[in-house]
Amino acid sequence: MDRACLTVSQDWLTVTTDKCGKNKASCARFELVGAKTIKGLGDMKEYRTDRPFAPGTGESACRFRSDTDHGERFPSDKPLVNGYRPVGARKAQYREWAGECYSFKTAKTVRRFTQREWYLPKSKVLVVDGWNNPELAGVLARARW
């Protein structure tokens, strides 16, 4: 796997998990988010465990497309899965959220996805995976602090 990291801020790290073409925005990845971002930066909303991590200030572009004709939404305020998962020796609050990409013109859904989130409230660390990276849960379970 070709892995690269992109620092969004001092408190937000994006890790790509596949080879990327020219459109880096649609590369498979996961996010490591820290306390400052969780609290809310600038216009970004504070992270809450009762809704999916979507920190943007407006419409988010579809993660699977390079065009600007499609956005993302989370149609339900209830997670698909709500429980705990290991992150090393710690237990993270774990949730899976149903998401979808849709056309701005027609509002029709063009692709569905699941966003997985591991939140460690004491450490103020959030791991967000909107690509269902198959190895990530195992890597996090074996993490060392």
Side-chain angles (χ1 to χ4, degrees), residues 15-80:
V15 180
T16 60
T17 58
D18 250 335
K19 286 191 176 192
C20 295
K22 290 181 181 179
N23 182 18
K24 302 283 186 214
S26 63
C27 290
R29 64 188 175 273
F30 65 91
E31 319 286 336
L32 296 170
V33 181
K36 290 179 185 175
T37 302
I38 288 168
K39 200 173 193 178
L41 287 173
D43 293 335
M44 292 187 341
K45 296 177 186 174
E46 181 176 357
Y47 173 69
R48 293 183 8 202
T49 58
D50 63 341
R51 63 180 184 220
F53 180 73
T57 57
E59 295 287 339
S60 294
C62 174
R63 65 189 73 200
F64 303 104
R65 301 180 64 109
S66 59
D67 62 56
T68 57
D69 299 332
H70 295 83
E72 285 186 357
R73 61 187 170 204
F74 293 92
S76 177
D77 60 353
K78 301 261 190 248
L80 299 169

Side-chain angles (χ1 to χ4, degrees), residues 9 26 39 54 56-57 61 66 70 80 82 89 94 97-98 102 116 131:
S9 74
S26 63
K39 200 173 193 178
T57 57
S66 59
H70 295 83
L80 299 169
N82 186 8
Y94 177 79
W97 300 93
Y102 68 99
R116 304 182 302 168
W131 295 81

Side-chain angles (χ1 to χ4, degrees), residues 1 3-6 8 12-18 27-33 63 116 118 126-133 135-137 139-140:
M1 277 188 191
R3 295 173 198 246
C5 294
L6 169 69
V8 176
W12 184 338
L13 182 69
T14 298
V15 180
T16 60
T17 58
D18 250 335
C27 290
R29 64 188 175 273
F30 65 91
E31 319 286 336
L32 296 170
V33 181
R63 65 189 73 200
R116 304 182 302 168
W118 291 259
L126 174 66
V127 179
V128 181
D129 177 21
W131 295 81
N132 289 316
N133 289 284
E135 299 170 14
L136 185 56
V139 169
L140 290 174

